[in-house]
Structure formats: structure tokens, C-alpha cells
Amino acid sequence: MYTHQKNIITQGKTVSETRKALVMIHGRGATAESILSLAEYLPVEEFSLYAPQATNHSWYPYSFMAPAAQNQPALDSALEMIDGVVQSILDQGVKSQNIYLLGFSQGACLTSEYATRNAQKYGGLLLFTGGLVGQELEKANYKGDFAGTPVLITTGDPDPHVPVSRVEETQAIMEELGAVVTKKIYKGRPHTILQEEIELAKEILERV
């Protein structure tokens, strides 16, 4: 088992110039650079971009639906890395409502878990094929108030990694904590990001 070495790639203007940040979390087997390439399709010219890199290219070793203990200590280490990025942005005077979090696949699962454990008013959560982590969800882990944070959460039906049922459970918990969730289930969609998902993400990123 492993813990993560801190490795954050940034892109775009500094956060002192933009006062807005998008934290982008890559999927299993991928890289920070690969998730940053998604920014070419998003209206993020006025955002500072942050992309942490997972050690071993994986945030935790097993499925996100495995018993949580099996994914430790990697999972806690990954959550700490995301928290470090978010706290560093907050420490530079950026308000939480100007911080956006995006993830794909394993990265969307990690983003879901981090944000719901630390619910506050974010600019938006863009969860491309993901959901909360664990064989059973421990509701006691999830606290705070999303205060109307817009959330996009998607998966395919079926998806090889992220079942529809977990997306629905994730939506319910986020809504209990005050998020405004847009859930999209795509019949027969491969494990990828569709143009429609990009368009829905743009709507959240372009809200003032």
C-alpha cells in the first residue's frame, strides 16, 4: 500500500490574478496532464487550474465500491492531497464559492468523497462518471452545508466501474447536505466523457 507524494501541476494565470480556481482530478492510470487537456474544451480562460498527480497513477488500489479499509492508506492520503490544494487556494484569499472541483472516473469518485466530507459552498462540482467511495456509505463521514452548490454527476448504464445505484445514492446524500444536483445517466455510453456532459459542465463554469 502507498501514500501519495505531493505533486501538483498548475496551468493558466495565478490565482491572485483570477480569484477563481478549478481543481482537476485524473482517473486511474492517467496523469495530471491528461486531465488538464480537458480544459481545452471548457471556458476556463479566467480560472487558475490545479491538477494533482497520483503516485503510481492511481488514487487508491481497489474499486471505489470495495470495503473502504482495503483502499487505505492510499485513500486518506489522496483526500489529504486534495485538501492541501483546496486549503492553499483558500489561504490565498479565494472564497470557497470560487473554487470548482472536477474529476473523471476514479478522480470523480475521489472528488465526490472529498467534497461531501467537506461540504461548503463551492462554485461547482463536475463529477464525470463517479460516486461516493466505499462498499457501504458511512453517512457520519459526510458533513457541512453545500449551500446550493451546483453538482453535475454522470455515468453510463451500464458502466464497467460506476453503477447507476451508487450515483443515485451519492445524489441523495449530496442533496441532503444542500447541493443542487443534475444527474445524467447515459444508456450504453462507453466509459468516457460525452460532448453533452461538456456542455452541462460549461453551464456551471459560466455561472456568475
Side-chain angles (χ1 to χ4, degrees), residues 127-130 152-156 162 167 184-186 189 197:
L127 309 172
F128 297 116
T129 310
L152 171 65
I153 186 168
T154 67
T155 197
V162 180
V167 168
K184 292 289 181 181
I185 309 298
Y186 297 99
R189 187 207 65 182
E197 293 171 76

Side-chain angles (χ1 to χ4, degrees), residues 98-120:
N98 291 321
I99 299 175
Y100 296 70
L101 304 175
L102 175 155
F104 170 64
S105 191
Q106 192 188 47
C109 297
L110 184 63
T111 303
S112 303
E113 188 71 15
Y114 172 76
T116 312
R117 289 182 181 212
N118 300 276
Q120 55 190 315

